[in-house]
Structure formats: C-alpha cells, structure tokens
Amino acid sequence: MNSSFPVASRLALACTLASALVSAPALAQTTEAPVTEAAPQTPPAAPVKPEVADKQAPEALVVGAPAPESKPVFGLGSERYFINPVLSIAGGLQSENLLVNPNPQKEGRITTVAIARFGFEGRLGQYVTFRSEFERNIRNHGSGIWEGTASMSVRDQVLRLQRWGATVEAGIVIDPASVDFFSAHMGDVLLADKYTRDPLLYSGFNRGQGVQAQYTRWGLTAGLSYTEANPLSSSASFMVGGSFGGNSRFWERPLGNFRNGQPDDDIHFRVVSPSLTYNHPWFEAKAMAQVFNINYQANSKEDPALQGYNARGNVKLKLKGMVPSLPVEVTPFFNVSRVENDVVNSASGYGNQLLSTRFNALTLSSGMDIFLSGRSGVGFMFTRVADRTPSFIPPTGSTPSSEPVLSTDISFLNVGATWWMFDQVALGARVATFTKKIQGKPELEERDLSGFLTLRMLL
C-alpha cells in the first residue's frame, strides 16, 4: 500500500475489511441454505426411470412401476437396500346379459368376481431393482377358488439394471411400447376381463420371458425387446392369426396336446421388437415394429418357417385446465396396429406348404378420460378388430384350388367411472359390450352386455 495514503483512510479501509470478514460466514450461510435444502430432492446420479414410472398412471396397472428410490412405508431394509410388498385386490359384482349367442339356450347370470396380485419388489443399491409378482386369476363365473381349482399364473419376474439413462431387463418382462393407451376407468378388475384384456392382446401386447434394453434422453426412449421360446412364453403370440390344427388360433395350438401335464413343445416362436416412445408434458406417442418367426414343427427340418410382422402406433394428448376452480385433465388417445403373417396349409395331403394368401388383421381403438380433481372421473374406450383368415379348397376335377378368405369383426366398448375414496382404494362402475360377427355365418354371431360394480386396492 502506498505510504502516502492518509492514515485515516487506511484505518477506515481496515475497519471495512474486518467488518466484511465478520459478516462473510453469515452471508455464506444465507446463500448456501437453499442449496442444502434442495439437495435431497435431486440426489446425484439417481437411476433413470422408464417411461411409466408413476404408480398412479393408468399404464401402471399393466406395466407396473419400478421400485421406489428409497424405502417405502411397508418396506424392509435400509434406504437403498430394501424389499417391499406388492399387493392388488379387486372384487365386486358382474352382471352378464347374453343378447345373441351361438347357443340360444345359454343364460346370462350375475357373478361375484375376485382377483388378487401379490409379490414383492425391491432395490439393491443405486442401479439394481427387481420385481416378482403372481396372480390368482379371475376365471369365468368364480370357477377358480374352491377344491384346488384356483388358477394361478406367474406375472412379472424381472431383474432390472439402470445407469446413464440406459435400462436392461431380463426374466418375464413387459415391453412398455407394446401397451396400448387405454381408459384408466377400465381398471376396476385390473384389466383381467375379456372386455379389457383381449383388446390389448389383439394389438400385440407383449408380456413374456425375454430380455430388453431401453435408452432414454430428452423424453425420447429407444427400446428393443427379444423373446425366443415356446409360443406360450409370450403374450405376443396371441396376435398371430390363421388356421393352426383344427382351425384354432396360433396361441391355442400348444394347448391342444398336453404331454406329462405340459403344453406341446413342438412349436418355436421368436419375436424381435424395436420401438420408439416420446413422453412430453402435453402428449405421448409410441411406434413399434414386432417382427416374428415361427417354427411350426421343431421336430422336423422340412416344414417352412412362418414369417410375420405387426406395425403399431399410439398417441395420447394430456390437456389440463380449471373448471372453474376444479382441476380437470382430459386425455384423448388413439391406437392402431396391423398384423400380417404366413399361414400353414392344413388341408390333408398338402403338408409343409404355405398358403399364397397371408393372414392380416387391423386393430383400431380410441377413447378418452376425464379426470376431476385427481384420479377420479369418467372415461370410455372403443376397440374394433377386423381379421381376414385364408383357408384352402383343394382342386376337384376341372375346378382349380382356391384360397377363400373368412372375415371376422370383433368390437369392444367400455364406459366406466372411478372414485378414489382413499389413496389406495377406489370404487368403480363400468358397462361393457362385446360383439363378434363372422362373414356368412350368422349362426355364430355373439353379442353380450355386462355391468361391473367393484372395489379395488392397489398397494
């Protein structure tokens, strides 16, 4: 410092510096306090969740949500190493009215319905989660409860690794891109009845043993799933059409012959599914191609392979507002899928041959939900499945062979309402219809109407 600087000025400057040093800790504490409070809300290097990560989202009824970041209320263990129970229960009444049926003597009835899903999920540190879930099926008219007839099935059995925006899963997994958008108010019996489950299956919903990988960034998720096993290993086999032994659908073929209590193992099914999903605060969109290969006789090298594909697309809007002081969300959605695959010539004397005409099916669905002050509200969904199944008529005399196509149209309509009385418990009411028409066979037409009144709990 310049020695000519006045003494009084130097003293004033020293006092100012001392005062600043004394007040610095308080100033630092004031500016750092908000950062300290916000830190727990954004922990560093947290695993990236898949698209459907909210346990309250409609899709969570099917896909399920990943294990929580920290130990939940019912969890056992530490904050990052824990196991947590999974439990969903639904029960109530179903009124079934058969309007048109191939068996005109068959009667409708009122049934008390019940379904339960149970298991556990957990986390092993920062990057590893797992989920194991079983189901006591709903079965028709309460046939799955007494004297050892309870129908149990294995649902999710998945080990998941996540890091740097990437997810790898193995086990019995669900491809989230294969799940159509659907009305949240159809979930009163956990989407286990034919009015809600079958529309998803016709469009290519894929739950099954396999492996899949996803990478998410900026709301865009690229995914790839792979399954190669018996057709019953994957629900994607439901979409494959044609005539497979006794005019049955493809997924029914392994069930036609049981050996030592096990389904027929002569058929092999492979499906590869690349997909793209985009999630935005205002809308969601999905696009997927499911390419499959079928070995119809794994015990023979002479049968030709059956090739096929399913092209899918889905979009949902998320419109939010206030009416007038009540928060309202409207979510219209639309789904489309088109399946096409080879068909085996099942006529006698034409073994190991494919028909020239391929099976094809178009599935269209649309609907809308209106949420009033949370998850309660009303919604509807309509689905139409139009499939064209070829068959074979051998040549007779001067008449050449032909491959006539049989047209089948199936439609589903669901209209429902939900009141969430508590965070985990809801009261649901729904009306559902099913219609099936086969071209040229009016005697096989089906049409029914059902009503549901249920309670459900999702833990």
Side-chain angles (χ1 to χ4, degrees):
M1 185 176 293
N2 194 336
S3 59
S4 64
F5 199 75
V7 176
S9 299
R10 281 185 282 178
L11 289 175
L13 178 60
C15 292
T16 301
L17 292 174
S19 175
L21 291 174
V22 171
S23 61
L27 179 61
Q29 183 177 2
T30 302
T31 57
E32 293 176 2
V35 176
T36 303
E37 293 175 0
Q41 300 176 10
T42 56
V48 177
K49 299 181 182 180
E51 283 296 316
V52 183
D54 184 3
K55 290 193 175 184
Q56 311 300 343
E59 291 83 355
L61 276 174
V62 179
V63 179
E69 295 295 327
S70 58
K71 186 181 70 172
V73 175
F74 299 104
L76 299 175
S78 62
E79 284 299 302
R80 282 298 181 94
Y81 290 82
F82 61 84
I83 187 170
N84 185 55
V86 173
L87 179 61
S88 302
I89 299 175
L93 299 172
Q94 176 187 0
S95 172
E96 179 186 56
N97 185 15
L98 304 179
L99 304 177
V100 178
N101 194 274
N103 180 4
Q105 298 300 316
K106 188 175 181 179
E107 296 180 314
R109 64 192 86 176
I110 295 178
T111 303
T112 51
V113 295
I115 183 173
R117 293 172 184 166
F118 53 92
F120 50 85
E121 63 183 0
R123 176 175 292 280
L124 301 175
Q126 195 171 3
Y127 307 111
V128 181
T129 61
F130 59 91
R131 184 181 178 92
S132 177
E133 186 181 39
F134 300 85
E135 177 181 276
R136 183 269 167 189
N137 303 143
I138 193 169
R139 291 293 294 267
N140 289 332
H141 307 113
S143 59
I145 189 64
W146 190 249
E147 293 291 342
T149 64
S151 178
M152 305 290 291
S153 62
V154 181
R155 288 174 56 86
D156 301 345
Q157 305 291 321
V158 57
L159 178 64
R160 180 182 296 119
L161 308 179
Q162 294 173 282
R163 192 170 187 180
W164 300 319
T167 302
V168 177
E169 297 178 325
I172 298 179
V173 300
I174 297 177
D175 190 336
S178 73
V179 182
D180 281 348
F181 294 121
F182 58 87
S183 170
H185 308 293
M186 290 168 35
D188 44 6
V189 287
L190 311 184
L191 276 77
D193 60 286
K194 74 174 184 179
Y195 305 100
T196 58
R197 183 198 66 165
D198 289 4
L200 296 179
L201 292 173
Y202 278 118
S203 69
F205 167 59
N206 188 6
R207 165 188 274 121
Q209 64 186 56
V211 294
Q212 67 180 7
Q214 300 171 356
Y215 181 74
T216 301
R217 189 164 189 181
W218 302 312
L220 184 66
T221 300
L224 179 67
S225 67
Y226 176 73
T227 292
E228 183 164 358
N230 186 286
L232 297 181
S233 68
S234 169
S235 64
S237 63
F238 191 95
M239 65 182 171
V240 181
S243 178
F244 294 89
N247 295 323
S248 62
R249 297 272 297 193
F250 175 62
W251 67 273
E252 298 173 299
R253 174 64 178 81
L255 299 174
N257 184 21
F258 275 78
R259 302 175 182 176
N260 298 323
Q262 298 297 321
D264 194 338
D265 196 38
D266 292 346
I267 307 179
H268 198 68
F269 180 65
R270 177 193 304 132
V271 58
V272 181
S273 306
S275 64
L276 283 175
T277 300
Y278 184 67
N279 193 353
H280 188 272
W282 295 348
F283 70 94
E284 295 180 40
K286 304 177 185 180
M288 165 181 271
Q290 295 172 306
V291 182
F292 52 88
N293 176 284
I294 300 169
N295 184 347
Y296 188 64
Q297 291 291 336
N299 293 331
S300 172
K301 296 183 178 180
E302 297 180 0
D303 61 303
L306 279 63
Q307 310 285 346
Y309 70 88
N310 180 26
R312 298 169 35 87
N314 320 85
V315 64
K316 178 172 73 171
L317 302 180
K318 296 178 282 188
L319 311 175
K320 299 181 181 181
M322 304 288 288
V323 182
S325 60
L326 182 70
V328 176
E329 181 175 358
V330 180
T331 59
F333 55 85
F334 177 76
N335 310 291
V336 59
S337 71
R338 187 182 189 278
V339 182
E340 184 174 309
N341 61 261
D342 296 324
V343 178
V344 175
N345 191 335
S346 58
S348 177
Y350 293 86
N352 297 328
Q353 295 185 25
L354 299 179
L355 297 181
S356 300
T357 308
R358 306 184 90 198
F359 167 87
N360 70 81
L362 180 65
T363 302
L364 299 172
S365 62
S366 182
M368 184 172 65
D369 279 334
I370 301 175
F371 298 99
L372 305 172
S373 186
R375 292 176 289 159
S376 300
V378 296
F380 75 92
M381 179 175 178
F382 176 77
T383 303
R384 182 176 184 268
V385 184
D387 70 48
R388 306 295 179 255
T389 304
S391 58
F392 182 77
I393 299 178
T396 56
S398 61
T399 304
S401 63
S402 61
E403 296 183 359
V405 175
L406 184 65
S407 299
T408 303
D409 292 326
I410 302 173
S411 62
F412 304 86
L413 174 64
N414 288 270
V415 180
T418 307
W419 174 38
W420 285 92
M421 300 180 290
F422 310 100
D423 288 342
Q424 293 85 18
V425 180
L427 175 66
R430 177 165 54 101
V431 176
T433 65
F434 166 79
T435 302
K436 181 178 181 180
K437 296 182 179 180
I438 303 177
Q439 182 184 26
K441 297 183 178 181
E443 71 279 4
L444 298 180
E445 180 180 351
E446 295 182 54
R447 189 165 71 251
D448 60 41
L449 173 68
S450 286
F452 295 84
L453 183 63
T454 61
L455 276 174
R456 73 179 182 268
M457 180 197 74
L458 305 177
L459 184 61

